[in-house]
Amino acid sequence: MFQKGLKGIVAVQTSISSVEGEKGELRYRGILVSEVIEGKSFEQAAYFLWHGHYASKEELASLTERLNAYRQLPDYLMAIARTLPKETSLMDGIRTLISAYQHAEFKELAIQQQAIALTAVLPVMTALLYRLNTGQEFVAPRSDLGHTANYLWMINGQVPTHAQTEALETYLNLTMEHGMNASTFASRVTISTESDLSAAIVSALGTMKGPLHGGAPSGVLELLDEIQSPEKIKPVVERKLARGEKIMGFGHRVYRTEDPRSILLREKCRQLQQDDPWLNLAVIAENEITQLLNERKPGRALHTNVEFYAAAIMRSIQMPPELFTPTFSIARIVGWTAHAIEQQQDNVIFRPQSEYIGN
């Protein structure tokens, strides 16, 4: 049977996550994502995805210690980063550094420990390349900051506020995993050849780079930039609809109801919106745009997707657009590594058939 793009074809059985588009449900390890991440740090959510249970106090302390230890980049990787051309995109640079992260100590680790090491080192690589590309000095990681706060520290050279950390951490926790998406499939295909975990992550990063998958939500940013203030929401959206333009940030390929990640990000934005004009604008804009879409496109049930509030959060913490896809990858590497480990445990190499249609 031929199915273009393998749409609807089941190629993997997994216990890591499930996406129920008709119900609007995302589950990590069988539990609704809202329950998994409630009050949880990045470290706690990652542990749950990797192991299928919440970390004890001792297990969490051990994971935090290992994440801190793996934040240090070897000197040779620092040298490689400094020799890359300035025009190298962040995703290309990250892919290069991950590919080169093959030192003896790393190779001796079990795959579960390699997953922790790669998760720890990806934000450091991202921050290093970003600051080099923008003519700034590298900001060394701090062991007294959690995974999310440390990333923001390395990017900006300032300790983030609690609100900034909480907003970004909610986004990271919600986007760690999302079923058999293109980049996750790429990681499983690579590890199925009995290649190494770094190679699987390089494959995933190359896939994430594509604008049809992990492309930055630039369209949402442009929409919010054009709106600027609540009184301009209706005229801007009506003008776009009259021209037949798509309203970015609304609608999803999988979810037929509201994207559960968007719901949770909206709740976080509402909690923090009084402290930030961009979050306030996003909350107001969603309500008005949804009403306009219901009037102009009845029966379509167009709701916000995760990109809408992700863009608002990124703007609120002053994260430049070139960091959006790398930051998405910093979250999704937890899912990529979880799937690679699962694939290794019951491996069969992926070898689909092709149908010849030439002369």
Side-chain angles (χ1 to χ4, degrees):
M1 179 182 72
F2 168 66
Q3 181 62 52
K4 196 171 185 178
L6 300 179
K7 184 177 180 180
I9 302 298
V10 177
V12 168
Q13 291 182 319
T14 181
S15 61
I16 296 171
S17 75
S18 61
V19 181
E20 296 289 345
E22 296 297 330
K23 296 180 181 178
E25 291 183 354
L26 169 62
R27 294 177 182 268
Y28 288 177
R29 299 285 185 179
I31 300 178
L32 288 171
V33 68
S34 57
E35 298 178 25
V36 173
I37 73 165
E38 184 177 4
K40 299 295 190 300
S41 64
F42 177 94
E43 292 84 346
Q44 289 171 308
Y47 188 96
F48 183 82
L49 262 183
W50 281 325
H51 298 281
H53 63 87
Y54 295 110
S56 66
K57 184 177 180 180
E58 293 75 18
E59 289 167 334
L60 182 60
S62 176
L63 174 60
T64 301
E65 181 180 353
R66 283 176 285 165
L67 285 169
N68 285 341
Y70 294 134
R71 285 176 183 171
Q72 303 304 318
L73 286 181
D75 290 341
Y76 77 90
L77 275 179
M78 298 287 289
I80 291 173
R82 295 182 188 280
T83 58
L84 291 174
K86 286 291 178 66
E87 60 270 20
T88 303
S89 73
L90 287 179
M91 289 299 287
D92 287 338
I94 292 164
R95 188 175 56 187
T96 299
L97 294 186
I98 288 289
S99 183
Y101 192 69
Q102 286 291 314
H103 53 87
E105 180 184 347
F106 175 76
K107 287 184 175 182
E108 292 175 359
L109 296 174
I111 189 171
Q112 290 84 358
Q113 296 301 310
Q114 289 183 347
I116 297 172
L118 292 172
T119 299
V121 82
L122 185 56
V124 186
M125 292 175 175
T126 302
L128 168 64
L129 291 169
Y130 167 70
R131 291 189 68 88
L132 289 177
N133 285 358
T134 53
Q136 303 177 79
E137 287 297 316
F138 173 57
V139 176
R142 288 175 48 163
S143 60
D144 62 324
L145 295 176
H147 190 82
T148 306
N150 180 66
Y151 175 52
L152 289 172
W153 155 256
M154 291 187 295
I155 291 294
N156 300 316
Q158 297 179 336
V159 177
T161 65
H162 176 73
Q164 289 173 328
T165 301
E166 190 175 353
L168 182 59
E169 194 151 59
T170 301
Y171 167 76
L172 294 179
N173 289 353
L174 283 171
T175 52
M176 282 181 178
E177 167 62 11
H178 201 245
M180 198 48 51
N181 55 81
S183 56
T184 297
F185 183 56
S187 70
R188 290 192 77 132
V189 169
T190 299
I191 207 74
S192 79
T193 69
E194 297 189 355
S195 188
D196 56 82
L197 187 60
S198 293
I201 299 308
V202 169
S203 295
L205 286 166
T207 309
M208 178 69 90
K209 178 186 172 185
L212 291 184
H213 182 27
S218 56
V220 180
L221 284 177
E222 291 168 4
L223 175 65
L224 294 176
D225 282 339
E226 189 173 351
I227 290 173
Q228 285 288 329
S229 59
E231 60 271 15
K232 292 175 65 177
I233 296 170
K234 186 173 182 179
V236 167
V237 174
E238 286 186 333
R239 185 165 62 248
K240 287 182 175 295
L241 290 174
R243 293 198 295 250
E245 295 180 19
K246 182 179 180 181
I247 307 302
M248 302 305 293
F250 288 76
H252 194 276
R253 180 178 178 182
V254 175
Y255 294 110
R256 296 296 172 262
T257 60
E258 285 194 84
D259 184 334
R261 300 167 300 173
S262 177
I263 295 171
L264 294 168
L265 283 178
R266 179 204 302 139
E267 291 176 359
K268 183 57 60 179
C269 287
R270 283 177 173 166
Q271 292 173 15
L272 303 173
Q273 71 181 99
Q274 299 305 319
D275 301 322
D276 187 274
W278 282 104
L279 299 183
N280 187 54
L281 178 62
V283 171
I284 296 171
E286 184 201 7
N287 291 332
E288 291 202 28
I289 293 173
T290 300
Q291 289 179 9
L292 286 169
L293 289 174
N294 287 337
E295 293 170 5
R296 298 298 184 87
K297 299 178 183 290
R300 290 286 301 278
L302 293 171
H303 302 284
T304 50
N305 55 43
V306 70
E307 285 189 349
F308 182 82
Y309 279 108
I313 285 175
M314 297 301 188
R315 178 56 60 87
S316 76
I317 61 177
Q318 300 180 330
M319 184 168 286
E322 61 265 33
L323 278 168
F324 285 11
T325 305
T327 301
F328 188 2
S329 302
I330 285 169
R332 188 55 62 82
I333 194 172
V334 177
W336 293 337
T337 52
H339 276 273
I341 292 168
E342 184 180 65
Q343 181 67 34
Q344 246 195 11
Q345 292 168 347
D346 184 23
N347 187 51
V348 174
I349 188 172
F350 285 92
R351 182 62 172 86
Q353 297 296 309
S354 60
E355 182 180 357
Y356 178 69
I357 59 172
N359 295 327

